[in-house]
mmCIF file of all heavy atoms in Angstrom:
data_model
loop_
_atom_site.group_PDB
_atom_site.id
_atom_site.type_symbol
_atom_site.label_atom_id
_atom_site.label_comp_id
_atom_site.label_asym_id
_atom_site.label_seq_id
_atom_site.Cartn_x
_atom_site.Cartn_y
_atom_site.Cartn_z
ATOM 1 N N VAL X 683 1.674 17.966 4.970
ATOM 2 C CA VAL X 683 0.609 17.080 5.121
ATOM 3 C C VAL X 683 -0.690 17.787 5.440
ATOM 4 O O VAL X 683 -1.770 17.498 4.873
ATOM 5 C CB VAL X 683 0.937 16.138 6.332
ATOM 6 C CG1 VAL X 683 -0.348 15.259 6.703
ATOM 7 C CG2 VAL X 683 2.112 15.199 5.988
ATOM 8 N N VAL X 684 -0.689 18.865 6.253
ATOM 9 C CA VAL X 684 -1.800 19.620 6.571
ATOM 10 C C VAL X 684 -2.455 20.296 5.227
ATOM 11 O O VAL X 684 -3.631 20.277 5.053
ATOM 12 C CB VAL X 684 -1.606 20.721 7.536
ATOM 13 C CG1 VAL X 684 -2.715 21.781 7.679
ATOM 14 C CG2 VAL X 684 -1.351 20.087 8.944
ATOM 15 N N VAL X 685 -1.532 20.740 4.364
ATOM 16 C CA VAL X 685 -1.996 21.453 3.136
ATOM 17 C C VAL X 685 -2.714 20.541 2.216
ATOM 18 O O VAL X 685 -3.570 20.856 1.412
ATOM 19 C CB VAL X 685 -0.786 22.159 2.420
ATOM 20 C CG1 VAL X 685 -0.015 21.248 1.515
ATOM 21 C CG2 VAL X 685 -1.290 23.334 1.687
ATOM 22 N N ILE X 686 -2.350 19.234 2.308
ATOM 23 C CA ILE X 686 -3.040 18.190 1.428
ATOM 24 C C ILE X 686 -4.501 18.190 1.889
ATOM 25 O O ILE X 686 -5.413 18.246 0.991
ATOM 26 C CB ILE X 686 -2.455 16.742 1.595
ATOM 27 C CG1 ILE X 686 -1.022 16.765 1.005
ATOM 28 C CG2 ILE X 686 -3.301 15.749 0.961
ATOM 29 C CD1 ILE X 686 -0.328 15.400 1.285
ATOM 30 N N PHE X 687 -4.809 18.058 3.181
ATOM 31 C CA PHE X 687 -6.192 17.877 3.647
ATOM 32 C C PHE X 687 -6.980 19.169 3.718
ATOM 33 O O PHE X 687 -8.175 19.126 3.559
ATOM 34 C CB PHE X 687 -6.180 17.192 4.959
ATOM 35 C CG PHE X 687 -5.628 15.727 4.840
ATOM 36 C CD1 PHE X 687 -4.291 15.467 5.158
ATOM 37 C CD2 PHE X 687 -6.422 14.741 4.381
ATOM 38 C CE1 PHE X 687 -3.818 14.121 5.032
ATOM 39 C CE2 PHE X 687 -5.967 13.425 4.176
ATOM 40 C CZ PHE X 687 -4.602 13.163 4.585
ATOM 41 N N LEU X 688 -6.192 20.315 3.839
ATOM 42 C CA LEU X 688 -6.865 21.573 3.747
ATOM 43 C C LEU X 688 -7.286 21.908 2.379
ATOM 44 O O LEU X 688 -8.014 22.878 2.035
ATOM 45 C CB LEU X 688 -5.982 22.659 4.346
ATOM 46 C CG LEU X 688 -5.836 22.791 5.839
ATOM 47 C CD1 LEU X 688 -4.964 23.918 6.283
ATOM 48 C CD2 LEU X 688 -7.212 22.849 6.539
ATOM 49 N N GLY X 689 -6.766 21.129 1.387
ATOM 50 C CA GLY X 689 -7.108 21.277 -0.010
ATOM 51 C C GLY X 689 -8.658 21.034 -0.153
ATOM 52 O O GLY X 689 -9.203 21.462 -1.237
ATOM 53 N N ALA X 690 -9.213 20.362 0.715
ATOM 54 C CA ALA X 690 -10.676 20.103 0.694
ATOM 55 C C ALA X 690 -11.476 21.459 0.699
ATOM 56 O O ALA X 690 -12.692 21.491 0.217
ATOM 57 C CB ALA X 690 -11.095 19.278 1.934
ATOM 58 N N LEU X 691 -10.856 22.543 1.141
ATOM 59 C CA LEU X 691 -11.499 23.882 1.045
ATOM 60 C C LEU X 691 -11.331 24.478 -0.335
ATOM 61 O O LEU X 691 -10.764 25.590 -0.480
ATOM 62 C CB LEU X 691 -10.876 24.809 2.172
ATOM 63 C CG LEU X 691 -11.079 24.299 3.597
ATOM 64 C CD1 LEU X 691 -10.249 25.197 4.549
ATOM 65 C CD2 LEU X 691 -12.477 24.170 3.972
ATOM 66 N N PHE X 692 -11.810 23.739 -1.328
ATOM 67 C CA PHE X 692 -11.808 24.178 -2.704
ATOM 68 C C PHE X 692 -10.419 24.406 -3.254
ATOM 69 O O PHE X 692 -10.321 25.076 -4.273
ATOM 70 C CB PHE X 692 -12.617 25.372 -2.939
ATOM 71 C CG PHE X 692 -14.067 25.220 -2.352
ATOM 72 C CD1 PHE X 692 -14.443 26.000 -1.214
ATOM 73 C CD2 PHE X 692 -14.987 24.309 -2.890
ATOM 74 C CE1 PHE X 692 -15.663 25.833 -0.653
ATOM 75 C CE2 PHE X 692 -16.181 24.140 -2.355
ATOM 76 C CZ PHE X 692 -16.588 24.895 -1.270
ATOM 77 N N GLY X 693 -9.359 23.817 -2.670
ATOM 78 C CA GLY X 693 -7.974 24.016 -3.158
ATOM 79 C C GLY X 693 -7.335 25.307 -2.954
ATOM 80 O O GLY X 693 -6.284 25.616 -3.484
ATOM 81 N N LEU X 694 -7.986 26.221 -2.167
ATOM 82 C CA LEU X 694 -7.499 27.534 -1.959
ATOM 83 C C LEU X 694 -6.189 27.562 -1.203
ATOM 84 O O LEU X 694 -5.239 28.309 -1.553
ATOM 85 C CB LEU X 694 -8.531 28.401 -1.266
ATOM 86 C CG LEU X 694 -9.877 28.666 -2.071
ATOM 87 C CD1 LEU X 694 -10.793 29.453 -1.204
ATOM 88 C CD2 LEU X 694 -9.559 29.460 -3.371
ATOM 89 N N ILE X 695 -6.123 26.822 -0.115
ATOM 90 C CA ILE X 695 -4.893 26.793 0.718
ATOM 91 C C ILE X 695 -3.683 26.325 -0.014
ATOM 92 O O ILE X 695 -2.620 26.986 0.051
ATOM 93 C CB ILE X 695 -5.175 26.006 2.044
ATOM 94 C CG1 ILE X 695 -6.384 26.530 2.824
ATOM 95 C CG2 ILE X 695 -3.926 26.016 2.951
ATOM 96 C CD1 ILE X 695 -6.312 27.940 3.234
ATOM 97 N N PRO X 696 -3.720 25.203 -0.662
ATOM 98 C CA PRO X 696 -2.487 24.795 -1.472
ATOM 99 C C PRO X 696 -2.165 25.802 -2.512
ATOM 100 O O PRO X 696 -0.873 25.982 -2.703
ATOM 101 C CB PRO X 696 -2.985 23.427 -2.115
ATOM 102 C CG PRO X 696 -4.105 22.970 -1.284
ATOM 103 C CD PRO X 696 -4.815 24.207 -0.750
ATOM 104 N N ALA X 697 -3.067 26.407 -3.105
ATOM 105 C CA ALA X 697 -2.737 27.430 -4.171
ATOM 106 C C ALA X 697 -1.988 28.598 -3.503
ATOM 107 O O ALA X 697 -0.919 29.098 -4.067
ATOM 108 C CB ALA X 697 -4.027 27.916 -4.852
ATOM 109 N N VAL X 698 -2.488 29.127 -2.471
ATOM 110 C CA VAL X 698 -1.834 30.223 -1.701
ATOM 111 C C VAL X 698 -0.469 29.748 -1.224
ATOM 112 O O VAL X 698 0.496 30.586 -1.340
ATOM 113 C CB VAL X 698 -2.736 30.735 -0.625
ATOM 114 C CG1 VAL X 698 -1.983 31.761 0.261
ATOM 115 C CG2 VAL X 698 -3.958 31.347 -1.096
ATOM 116 N N PHE X 699 -0.452 28.581 -0.712
ATOM 117 C CA PHE X 699 0.864 28.021 -0.188
ATOM 118 C C PHE X 699 1.956 27.967 -1.289
ATOM 119 O O PHE X 699 3.122 28.356 -0.969
ATOM 120 C CB PHE X 699 0.631 26.645 0.404
ATOM 121 C CG PHE X 699 1.782 26.112 1.227
ATOM 122 C CD1 PHE X 699 2.008 26.580 2.498
ATOM 123 C CD2 PHE X 699 2.526 25.059 0.801
ATOM 124 C CE1 PHE X 699 3.000 26.079 3.301
ATOM 125 C CE2 PHE X 699 3.553 24.492 1.492
ATOM 126 C CZ PHE X 699 3.791 25.017 2.773
#
Side-chain angles (χ1 to χ4, degrees):
V683 172
V684 168
V685 84
I686 292 176
F687 295 98
L688 285 182
L691 301 174
F692 307 112
L694 295 175
I695 304 299
V698 172
F699 193 73

